[in-house]
Amino acid sequence: MSETALLNEKIKNQVHNFEESLTPSFPKGNMLIELSNICNHQCIFCANKKMKRKKGYMDFDFCINILKQAYAEGTREVGFYATGEPLVYPRLAEVVKNAKQIGFDYTYITTNGALLTEAKMIELIDAGLDSIKFSLNATDRETYKLIHGRDDFDKVIEHLKMLYNYRKTTGKNFKIFISHVATRFTEERLHEFKEKYSQYCDDIVFVPVANQCGSNSEMENHLTCQKNPDLLINKDVSPIPCARIFNGLAVSYEGYLTACCVDFENYLIVADLNKMSLKDAWVSEKFKELRQRHLDRNVDGLMCQNCRNFSTKSFEPYQPEYSTKIDFEKFYNDQYIIDRIKKYEEAE
C-alpha cells in the first residue's frame, strides 16, 4: 500500500494478504518498535495495567541499529508503539529523525494523545513523522473516564484540533488518523462520533474490542459489542493462521523479536536481537516452527489459542527464558472491570 492509503484499507490489507511460507519475504512495512511498555492511561480493554513485565525504555543506539538492519532488508514503513505509550519515550523525535535519515518512507505512531503538547507536536513533525493516530476509544467525557481510566477527553480533543489546525496553517504534509476500539458503551454512537470528528482527520477506523491475543479474555461478558454496527472492521477475521507472523515485525523494548505486537509478557518471543541479526531472526528455526504450527492450526498451549475467542485457558511461553511468568489464578480476574463499570453507572 502507498503511504497515502487510508487507514481502513491498510489494516484490511495487512490482515488478509500474507505469504503462507515458513520463510516469507522480509516485510516491506508492518514493522512496530516498542520504545517503551510504559503507559499514562489505564484502558479497560488493555492488558498494560496488569502487566508484570519490568517497565523500561528501549536503548536508543539499539533502536537505530535495528532500523538500519530493517531498512537494509527492504522495510520502508515503521511504527513506534506496541504495548505502551510512545510519547513517554524521551527521545522519540530523535528516533523519528534518524529513521527518516536512514531512508524510511513512512514513520508513524499511535498515541492516546494526552501528552501531545504543542512543543512535542512541532518537534515530531519537524523530525519527519508522517502520521499520528489518536487512540480515542470513547464518545464523550464520561465514557472516556470509563474506558481510558483517565479524565482526559477534553484535553485529547483539544490536542486533536491543535494538530489539525497546525497542519492547516503550516501546510505541513503529514496524516492524522483516529482509531476507536468499540465497546457496548460506544457502539450505538459510532456514526455520530465519525460525523463529529472526521473533519479533523484523514480517516477513522472502528475496531471491535478484542482480547489482545488472549491477554484480556475476562472482558467478554462486560465490554463486547452487542450489535456489530456496519462501521466495524475485521469483526469476522479468523486469527489462525495469524497474518502478523508472516508479514509483520514487532520488536520489544528489551530487544526481542516477538510474533505478536501485543505480547505484554513476552510469551511469543522468537529471537533475541541482542544476539542475532534481524534478518537471521526472521528465518530462524523458532520462527519457522511457530509459522508451521499456525499453518497446521495447532496452537494449543500457546497464547495464540485464546486470540479473538475469549478463551481463558492457561498457556505457556514460547521461550520461557524471555517471559514474565503469568499467575493464571489471578490473570483473568474481572473485578477491575466490574468496579469501573459500577462507578460509571452510578455517575450517570
mmCIF file of all heavy atoms in Angstrom, residues 50-93:
data_model
loop_
_atom_site.group_PDB
_atom_site.id
_atom_site.type_symbol
_atom_site.label_atom_id
_atom_site.label_comp_id
_atom_site.label_asym_id
_atom_site.label_seq_id
_atom_site.Cartn_x
_atom_site.Cartn_y
_atom_site.Cartn_z
ATOM 1 N N LYS A 50 -2.210 -4.630 33.907
ATOM 2 C CA LYS A 50 -1.935 -5.806 34.725
ATOM 3 C C LYS A 50 -0.618 -6.481 34.339
ATOM 4 O O LYS A 50 -0.316 -7.575 34.803
ATOM 5 C CB LYS A 50 -3.086 -6.802 34.636
ATOM 6 C CG LYS A 50 -3.372 -7.386 33.259
ATOM 7 C CD LYS A 50 -4.573 -8.341 33.329
ATOM 8 C CE LYS A 50 -4.851 -9.010 32.010
ATOM 9 N NZ LYS A 50 -5.992 -9.939 32.067
ATOM 10 N N MET A 51 0.158 -5.802 33.497
ATOM 11 C CA MET A 51 1.431 -6.345 33.047
ATOM 12 C C MET A 51 2.423 -6.429 34.201
ATOM 13 O O MET A 51 2.608 -5.480 34.959
ATOM 14 C CB MET A 51 1.987 -5.469 31.920
ATOM 15 C CG MET A 51 3.304 -5.924 31.357
ATOM 16 S SD MET A 51 3.732 -5.092 29.785
ATOM 17 C CE MET A 51 3.325 -3.395 30.128
ATOM 18 N N LYS A 52 3.075 -7.597 34.340
ATOM 19 C CA LYS A 52 4.091 -7.821 35.365
ATOM 20 C C LYS A 52 5.506 -7.662 34.812
ATOM 21 O O LYS A 52 6.471 -7.622 35.566
ATOM 22 C CB LYS A 52 3.938 -9.217 35.967
ATOM 23 C CG LYS A 52 2.574 -9.477 36.592
ATOM 24 C CD LYS A 52 2.263 -8.490 37.703
ATOM 25 C CE LYS A 52 0.903 -8.783 38.333
ATOM 26 N NZ LYS A 52 0.543 -7.740 39.341
ATOM 27 N N ARG A 53 5.617 -7.612 33.501
ATOM 28 C CA ARG A 53 6.926 -7.413 32.882
ATOM 29 C C ARG A 53 7.544 -6.106 33.365
ATOM 30 O O ARG A 53 6.856 -5.101 33.540
ATOM 31 C CB ARG A 53 6.780 -7.402 31.357
ATOM 32 C CG ARG A 53 8.081 -7.191 30.593
ATOM 33 C CD ARG A 53 7.958 -7.621 29.134
ATOM 34 N NE ARG A 53 6.927 -6.926 28.408
ATOM 35 C CZ ARG A 53 7.170 -6.058 27.414
ATOM 36 N NH1 ARG A 53 8.412 -5.771 27.064
ATOM 37 N NH2 ARG A 53 6.178 -5.500 26.766
ATOM 38 N N LYS A 54 8.838 -6.105 33.582
ATOM 39 C CA LYS A 54 9.548 -4.920 34.034
ATOM 40 C C LYS A 54 9.324 -3.769 33.061
ATOM 41 O O LYS A 54 9.390 -3.939 31.855
ATOM 42 C CB LYS A 54 11.043 -5.217 34.165
ATOM 43 C CG LYS A 54 11.860 -4.055 34.687
ATOM 44 C CD LYS A 54 13.339 -4.435 34.790
ATOM 45 C CE LYS A 54 14.169 -3.257 35.279
ATOM 46 N NZ LYS A 54 15.616 -3.606 35.365
ATOM 47 N N LYS A 55 9.036 -2.591 33.588
ATOM 48 C CA LYS A 55 8.823 -1.421 32.747
ATOM 49 C C LYS A 55 10.165 -0.796 32.378
ATOM 50 O O LYS A 55 11.105 -0.772 33.180
ATOM 51 C CB LYS A 55 7.958 -0.386 33.474
ATOM 52 C CG LYS A 55 6.570 -0.872 33.864
ATOM 53 C CD LYS A 55 5.736 -1.229 32.653
ATOM 54 C CE LYS A 55 4.356 -1.762 33.033
ATOM 55 N NZ LYS A 55 3.487 -0.740 33.633
ATOM 56 N N GLY A 56 10.244 -0.301 31.149
ATOM 57 C CA GLY A 56 11.504 0.280 30.731
ATOM 58 C C GLY A 56 11.438 0.947 29.376
ATOM 59 O O GLY A 56 10.367 1.069 28.766
ATOM 60 N N TYR A 57 12.596 1.375 28.892
ATOM 61 C CA TYR A 57 12.727 2.072 27.619
ATOM 62 C C TYR A 57 13.750 1.360 26.740
ATOM 63 O O TYR A 57 14.749 0.838 27.235
ATOM 64 C CB TYR A 57 13.199 3.512 27.835
ATOM 65 C CG TYR A 57 12.307 4.343 28.720
ATOM 66 C CD1 TYR A 57 12.555 4.432 30.086
ATOM 67 C CD2 TYR A 57 11.233 5.042 28.188
ATOM 68 C CE1 TYR A 57 11.747 5.211 30.904
ATOM 69 C CE2 TYR A 57 10.416 5.822 28.991
ATOM 70 C CZ TYR A 57 10.677 5.903 30.353
ATOM 71 O OH TYR A 57 9.871 6.662 31.152
ATOM 72 N N MET A 58 13.520 1.371 25.450
ATOM 73 C CA MET A 58 14.486 0.783 24.521
ATOM 74 C C MET A 58 15.756 1.625 24.479
ATOM 75 O O MET A 58 15.701 2.858 24.477
ATOM 76 C CB MET A 58 13.874 0.672 23.121
ATOM 77 C CG MET A 58 14.831 0.088 22.080
ATOM 78 S SD MET A 58 14.041 -0.202 20.468
ATOM 79 C CE MET A 58 13.102 -1.703 20.799
ATOM 80 N N ASP A 59 16.884 0.941 24.434
ATOM 81 C CA ASP A 59 18.157 1.623 24.264
ATOM 82 C C ASP A 59 18.171 2.336 22.906
ATOM 83 O O ASP A 59 17.856 1.745 21.872
ATOM 84 C CB ASP A 59 19.299 0.603 24.344
ATOM 85 C CG ASP A 59 20.653 1.237 24.130
ATOM 86 O OD1 ASP A 59 21.176 1.824 25.079
ATOM 87 O OD2 ASP A 59 21.180 1.144 23.001
ATOM 88 N N PHE A 60 18.541 3.612 22.925
ATOM 89 C CA PHE A 60 18.477 4.424 21.709
ATOM 90 C C PHE A 60 19.366 3.862 20.603
ATOM 91 O O PHE A 60 18.936 3.726 19.450
ATOM 92 C CB PHE A 60 18.883 5.867 22.028
ATOM 93 C CG PHE A 60 18.898 6.777 20.846
ATOM 94 C CD1 PHE A 60 17.718 7.334 20.361
ATOM 95 C CD2 PHE A 60 20.090 7.081 20.200
ATOM 96 C CE1 PHE A 60 17.731 8.186 19.263
ATOM 97 C CE2 PHE A 60 20.112 7.925 19.097
ATOM 98 C CZ PHE A 60 18.926 8.475 18.631
ATOM 99 N N ASP A 61 20.623 3.539 20.931
ATOM 100 C CA ASP A 61 21.548 3.038 19.911
ATOM 101 C C ASP A 61 21.086 1.706 19.334
ATOM 102 O O ASP A 61 21.238 1.450 18.135
ATOM 103 C CB ASP A 61 22.951 2.896 20.507
ATOM 104 C CG ASP A 61 23.589 4.243 20.832
ATOM 105 O OD1 ASP A 61 23.203 5.239 20.201
ATOM 106 O OD2 ASP A 61 24.454 4.295 21.735
ATOM 107 N N PHE A 62 20.516 0.850 20.203
ATOM 108 C CA PHE A 62 19.972 -0.424 19.722
ATOM 109 C C PHE A 62 18.847 -0.165 18.722
ATOM 110 O O PHE A 62 18.766 -0.808 17.673
ATOM 111 C CB PHE A 62 19.451 -1.262 20.891
ATOM 112 C CG PHE A 62 18.718 -2.496 20.469
ATOM 113 C CD1 PHE A 62 19.403 -3.670 20.198
ATOM 114 C CD2 PHE A 62 17.338 -2.488 20.302
ATOM 115 C CE1 PHE A 62 18.736 -4.806 19.785
ATOM 116 C CE2 PHE A 62 16.659 -3.615 19.890
ATOM 117 C CZ PHE A 62 17.358 -4.779 19.636
ATOM 118 N N CYS A 63 17.981 0.787 19.044
ATOM 119 C CA CYS A 63 16.857 1.109 18.160
ATOM 120 C C CYS A 63 17.344 1.544 16.781
ATOM 121 O O CYS A 63 16.830 1.075 15.760
ATOM 122 C CB CYS A 63 16.012 2.216 18.793
ATOM 123 S SG CYS A 63 14.579 2.697 17.807
ATOM 124 N N ILE A 64 18.334 2.415 16.754
ATOM 125 C CA ILE A 64 18.847 2.898 15.470
ATOM 126 C C ILE A 64 19.477 1.752 14.685
ATOM 127 O O ILE A 64 19.318 1.644 13.460
ATOM 128 C CB ILE A 64 19.879 4.028 15.684
ATOM 129 C CG1 ILE A 64 19.246 5.175 16.494
ATOM 130 C CG2 ILE A 64 20.391 4.526 14.338
ATOM 131 C CD1 ILE A 64 17.949 5.708 15.924
ATOM 132 N N ASN A 65 20.156 0.852 15.385
ATOM 133 C CA ASN A 65 20.760 -0.299 14.726
ATOM 134 C C ASN A 65 19.711 -1.204 14.100
ATOM 135 O O ASN A 65 19.877 -1.675 12.964
ATOM 136 C CB ASN A 65 21.609 -1.079 15.726
ATOM 137 C CG ASN A 65 22.273 -2.302 15.111
ATOM 138 O OD1 ASN A 65 21.758 -3.412 15.201
ATOM 139 N ND2 ASN A 65 23.420 -2.099 14.483
ATOM 140 N N ILE A 66 18.615 -1.435 14.820
ATOM 141 C CA ILE A 66 17.526 -2.266 14.295
ATOM 142 C C ILE A 66 16.887 -1.602 13.085
ATOM 143 O O ILE A 66 16.542 -2.266 12.091
ATOM 144 C CB ILE A 66 16.480 -2.535 15.392
ATOM 145 C CG1 ILE A 66 17.028 -3.521 16.424
ATOM 146 C CG2 ILE A 66 15.178 -3.075 14.795
ATOM 147 C CD1 ILE A 66 17.368 -4.891 15.864
ATOM 148 N N LEU A 67 16.718 -0.293 13.142
ATOM 149 C CA LEU A 67 16.164 0.427 11.995
ATOM 150 C C LEU A 67 17.054 0.264 10.767
ATOM 151 O O LEU A 67 16.567 0.048 9.654
ATOM 152 C CB LEU A 67 16.004 1.909 12.339
ATOM 153 C CG LEU A 67 14.863 2.269 13.280
ATOM 154 C CD1 LEU A 67 14.972 3.723 13.728
ATOM 155 C CD2 LEU A 67 13.513 2.023 12.623
ATOM 156 N N LYS A 68 18.358 0.361 10.961
ATOM 157 C CA LYS A 68 19.289 0.195 9.845
ATOM 158 C C LYS A 68 19.219 -1.220 9.267
ATOM 159 O O LYS A 68 19.242 -1.408 8.042
ATOM 160 C CB LYS A 68 20.705 0.521 10.300
ATOM 161 C CG LYS A 68 20.948 2.003 10.583
ATOM 162 C CD LYS A 68 22.367 2.245 11.069
ATOM 163 C CE LYS A 68 22.616 3.733 11.320
ATOM 164 N NZ LYS A 68 23.984 3.984 11.845
ATOM 165 N N GLN A 69 19.121 -2.217 10.156
ATOM 166 C CA GLN A 69 19.020 -3.602 9.689
ATOM 167 C C GLN A 69 17.736 -3.818 8.884
ATOM 168 O O GLN A 69 17.758 -4.451 7.820
ATOM 169 C CB GLN A 69 19.041 -4.557 10.881
ATOM 170 C CG GLN A 69 20.373 -4.680 11.588
ATOM 171 C CD GLN A 69 20.327 -5.759 12.653
ATOM 172 O OE1 GLN A 69 19.862 -6.878 12.411
ATOM 173 N NE2 GLN A 69 20.797 -5.433 13.851
ATOM 174 N N ALA A 70 16.622 -3.313 9.406
ATOM 175 C CA ALA A 70 15.340 -3.487 8.722
ATOM 176 C C ALA A 70 15.351 -2.805 7.361
ATOM 177 O O ALA A 70 14.872 -3.361 6.357
ATOM 178 C CB ALA A 70 14.203 -2.944 9.589
ATOM 179 N N TYR A 71 15.903 -1.604 7.319
ATOM 180 C CA TYR A 71 15.955 -0.863 6.058
ATOM 181 C C TYR A 71 16.809 -1.594 5.027
ATOM 182 O O TYR A 71 16.455 -1.672 3.843
ATOM 183 C CB TYR A 71 16.499 0.546 6.286
ATOM 184 C CG TYR A 71 16.443 1.409 5.059
ATOM 185 C CD1 TYR A 71 15.267 2.082 4.720
ATOM 186 C CD2 TYR A 71 17.544 1.548 4.221
ATOM 187 C CE1 TYR A 71 15.189 2.866 3.577
ATOM 188 C CE2 TYR A 71 17.479 2.331 3.074
ATOM 189 C CZ TYR A 71 16.309 2.982 2.757
ATOM 190 O OH TYR A 71 16.227 3.748 1.623
ATOM 191 N N ALA A 72 17.924 -2.158 5.488
ATOM 192 C CA ALA A 72 18.811 -2.892 4.582
ATOM 193 C C ALA A 72 18.126 -4.102 3.960
ATOM 194 O O ALA A 72 18.453 -4.518 2.842
ATOM 195 C CB ALA A 72 20.068 -3.336 5.329
ATOM 196 N N GLU A 73 17.115 -4.652 4.685
ATOM 197 C CA GLU A 73 16.385 -5.808 4.167
ATOM 198 C C GLU A 73 15.150 -5.415 3.363
ATOM 199 O O GLU A 73 14.414 -6.288 2.883
ATOM 200 C CB GLU A 73 15.977 -6.722 5.330
ATOM 201 C CG GLU A 73 17.146 -7.314 6.106
ATOM 202 C CD GLU A 73 18.119 -8.047 5.218
ATOM 203 O OE1 GLU A 73 17.660 -8.793 4.324
ATOM 204 O OE2 GLU A 73 19.346 -7.855 5.377
ATOM 205 N N GLY A 74 14.879 -4.120 3.256
ATOM 206 C CA GLY A 74 13.785 -3.672 2.403
ATOM 207 C C GLY A 74 12.595 -3.060 3.105
ATOM 208 O O GLY A 74 11.634 -2.627 2.445
ATOM 209 N N THR A 75 12.590 -2.996 4.427
ATOM 210 C CA THR A 75 11.470 -2.393 5.152
ATOM 211 C C THR A 75 11.480 -0.888 4.934
ATOM 212 O O THR A 75 12.532 -0.244 5.028
ATOM 213 C CB THR A 75 11.566 -2.695 6.660
ATOM 214 O OG1 THR A 75 11.656 -4.104 6.842
ATOM 215 C CG2 THR A 75 10.338 -2.173 7.394
ATOM 216 N N ARG A 76 10.305 -0.323 4.658
ATOM 217 C CA ARG A 76 10.222 1.098 4.353
ATOM 218 C C ARG A 76 9.200 1.841 5.224
ATOM 219 O O ARG A 76 9.093 3.064 5.127
ATOM 220 C CB ARG A 76 9.870 1.303 2.873
ATOM 221 C CG ARG A 76 10.967 0.840 1.912
ATOM 222 C CD ARG A 76 12.236 1.648 2.085
ATOM 223 N NE ARG A 76 13.320 1.234 1.183
ATOM 224 C CZ ARG A 76 14.283 0.375 1.508
ATOM 225 N NH1 ARG A 76 14.287 -0.178 2.724
ATOM 226 N NH2 ARG A 76 15.241 0.071 0.650
ATOM 227 N N GLU A 77 8.447 1.126 6.051
ATOM 228 C CA GLU A 77 7.496 1.761 6.960
ATOM 229 C C GLU A 77 7.735 1.248 8.369
ATOM 230 O O GLU A 77 7.992 0.061 8.568
ATOM 231 C CB GLU A 77 6.053 1.455 6.547
ATOM 232 C CG GLU A 77 5.671 1.965 5.170
ATOM 233 C CD GLU A 77 4.198 1.734 4.865
ATOM 234 O OE1 GLU A 77 3.450 1.304 5.775
ATOM 235 O OE2 GLU A 77 3.797 1.989 3.725
ATOM 236 N N VAL A 78 7.629 2.122 9.369
ATOM 237 C CA VAL A 78 7.837 1.706 10.746
ATOM 238 C C VAL A 78 6.964 2.533 11.690
ATOM 239 O O VAL A 78 6.839 3.746 11.538
ATOM 240 C CB VAL A 78 9.329 1.815 11.153
ATOM 241 C CG1 VAL A 78 9.854 3.233 10.987
ATOM 242 C CG2 VAL A 78 9.551 1.324 12.580
ATOM 243 N N GLY A 79 6.346 1.833 12.650
ATOM 244 C CA GLY A 79 5.564 2.483 13.687
ATOM 245 C C GLY A 79 6.269 2.335 15.027
ATOM 246 O O GLY A 79 6.830 1.286 15.329
ATOM 247 N N PHE A 80 6.207 3.376 15.840
ATOM 248 C CA PHE A 80 6.915 3.370 17.114
ATOM 249 C C PHE A 80 5.927 3.265 18.278
ATOM 250 O O PHE A 80 5.676 4.222 19.013
ATOM 251 C CB PHE A 80 7.778 4.627 17.236
ATOM 252 C CG PHE A 80 8.841 4.704 16.176
ATOM 253 C CD1 PHE A 80 8.731 5.615 15.132
ATOM 254 C CD2 PHE A 80 9.943 3.862 16.204
ATOM 255 C CE1 PHE A 80 9.702 5.692 14.144
ATOM 256 C CE2 PHE A 80 10.918 3.924 15.214
ATOM 257 C CZ PHE A 80 10.794 4.834 14.185
ATOM 258 N N TYR A 81 5.367 2.075 18.435
ATOM 259 C CA TYR A 81 4.455 1.806 19.547
ATOM 260 C C TYR A 81 4.175 0.315 19.581
ATOM 261 O O TYR A 81 4.412 -0.403 18.620
ATOM 262 C CB TYR A 81 3.138 2.568 19.387
ATOM 263 C CG TYR A 81 2.320 2.135 18.188
ATOM 264 C CD1 TYR A 81 1.311 1.191 18.314
ATOM 265 C CD2 TYR A 81 2.568 2.663 16.917
ATOM 266 C CE1 TYR A 81 0.569 0.781 17.213
ATOM 267 C CE2 TYR A 81 1.838 2.252 15.820
ATOM 268 C CZ TYR A 81 0.835 1.316 15.975
ATOM 269 O OH TYR A 81 0.112 0.911 14.889
ATOM 270 N N ALA A 82 3.663 -0.166 20.707
ATOM 271 C CA ALA A 82 3.215 -1.562 20.833
ATOM 272 C C ALA A 82 2.362 -1.676 22.091
ATOM 273 O O ALA A 82 1.172 -1.381 22.060
ATOM 274 C CB ALA A 82 4.387 -2.534 20.856
ATOM 275 N N THR A 83 2.960 -2.041 23.217
ATOM 276 C CA THR A 83 2.169 -2.232 24.443
ATOM 277 C C THR A 83 2.146 -0.994 25.320
ATOM 278 O O THR A 83 1.484 -0.997 26.359
ATOM 279 C CB THR A 83 2.720 -3.405 25.269
ATOM 280 O OG1 THR A 83 3.999 -3.055 25.805
ATOM 281 C CG2 THR A 83 2.835 -4.667 24.436
ATOM 282 N N GLY A 84 2.869 0.056 24.950
ATOM 283 C CA GLY A 84 2.933 1.261 25.770
ATOM 284 C C GLY A 84 2.594 2.514 24.982
ATOM 285 O O GLY A 84 2.176 2.456 23.824
ATOM 286 N N GLU A 85 2.784 3.662 25.614
ATOM 287 C CA GLU A 85 2.504 4.969 25.018
ATOM 288 C C GLU A 85 3.814 5.559 24.476
ATOM 289 O O GLU A 85 4.750 5.823 25.237
ATOM 290 C CB GLU A 85 1.908 5.902 26.075
ATOM 291 C CG GLU A 85 1.881 7.377 25.734
ATOM 292 C CD GLU A 85 1.155 7.684 24.431
ATOM 293 O OE1 GLU A 85 0.015 7.205 24.247
ATOM 294 O OE2 GLU A 85 1.730 8.402 23.586
ATOM 295 N N PRO A 86 3.919 5.776 23.167
ATOM 296 C CA PRO A 86 5.188 6.233 22.585
ATOM 297 C C PRO A 86 5.643 7.605 23.066
ATOM 298 O O PRO A 86 6.838 7.889 23.088
ATOM 299 C CB PRO A 86 4.905 6.228 21.080
ATOM 300 C CG PRO A 86 3.418 6.332 20.965
ATOM 301 C CD PRO A 86 2.881 5.574 22.137
ATOM 302 N N LEU A 87 4.702 8.473 23.457
ATOM 303 C CA LEU A 87 5.092 9.825 23.851
ATOM 304 C C LEU A 87 5.807 9.878 25.195
ATOM 305 O O LEU A 87 6.344 10.932 25.569
ATOM 306 C CB LEU A 87 3.858 10.738 23.884
ATOM 307 C CG LEU A 87 3.202 11.023 22.521
ATOM 308 C CD1 LEU A 87 2.004 11.932 22.684
ATOM 309 C CD2 LEU A 87 4.197 11.615 21.537
ATOM 310 N N VAL A 88 5.862 8.763 25.925
ATOM 311 C CA VAL A 88 6.629 8.755 27.174
ATOM 312 C C VAL A 88 8.118 8.577 26.893
ATOM 313 O O VAL A 88 8.949 8.805 27.776
ATOM 314 C CB VAL A 88 6.157 7.644 28.151
ATOM 315 C CG1 VAL A 88 4.666 7.744 28.417
ATOM 316 C CG2 VAL A 88 6.522 6.249 27.627
ATOM 317 N N TYR A 89 8.470 8.151 25.670
ATOM 318 C CA TYR A 89 9.871 7.918 25.321
ATOM 319 C C TYR A 89 10.556 9.264 25.110
ATOM 320 O O TYR A 89 10.174 10.028 24.208
ATOM 321 C CB TYR A 89 9.969 7.068 24.059
ATOM 322 C CG TYR A 89 11.357 6.565 23.752
ATOM 323 C CD1 TYR A 89 11.947 5.584 24.533
ATOM 324 C CD2 TYR A 89 12.079 7.075 22.671
ATOM 325 C CE1 TYR A 89 13.225 5.105 24.243
ATOM 326 C CE2 TYR A 89 13.352 6.601 22.374
ATOM 327 C CZ TYR A 89 13.918 5.623 23.166
ATOM 328 O OH TYR A 89 15.187 5.161 22.882
ATOM 329 N N PRO A 90 11.574 9.591 25.907
ATOM 330 C CA PRO A 90 12.173 10.930 25.860
ATOM 331 C C PRO A 90 12.804 11.303 24.520
ATOM 332 O O PRO A 90 12.859 12.485 24.175
ATOM 333 C CB PRO A 90 13.253 10.866 26.957
ATOM 334 C CG PRO A 90 12.842 9.735 27.853
ATOM 335 C CD PRO A 90 12.176 8.748 26.942
ATOM 336 N N ARG A 91 13.268 10.318 23.753
ATOM 337 C CA ARG A 91 13.999 10.616 22.527
ATOM 338 C C ARG A 91 13.211 10.203 21.277
ATOM 339 O O ARG A 91 13.787 9.864 20.244
ATOM 340 C CB ARG A 91 15.368 9.927 22.559
ATOM 341 C CG ARG A 91 16.199 10.316 23.770
ATOM 342 C CD ARG A 91 17.552 9.616 23.807
ATOM 343 N NE ARG A 91 18.469 10.128 22.775
ATOM 344 C CZ ARG A 91 19.739 9.737 22.654
ATOM 345 N NH1 ARG A 91 20.231 8.820 23.473
ATOM 346 N NH2 ARG A 91 20.506 10.240 21.691
ATOM 347 N N LEU A 92 11.896 10.254 21.368
ATOM 348 C CA LEU A 92 11.050 9.836 20.253
ATOM 349 C C LEU A 92 11.349 10.631 18.988
ATOM 350 O O LEU A 92 11.487 10.065 17.902
ATOM 351 C CB LEU A 92 9.569 9.974 20.633
ATOM 352 C CG LEU A 92 8.554 9.666 19.536
ATOM 353 C CD1 LEU A 92 8.709 8.240 19.015
ATOM 354 C CD2 LEU A 92 7.128 9.889 20.049
ATOM 355 N N ALA A 93 11.441 11.945 19.098
ATOM 356 C CA ALA A 93 11.701 12.773 17.918
ATOM 357 C C ALA A 93 13.053 12.430 17.295
ATOM 358 O O ALA A 93 13.191 12.407 16.062
ATOM 359 C CB ALA A 93 11.651 14.251 18.297
#
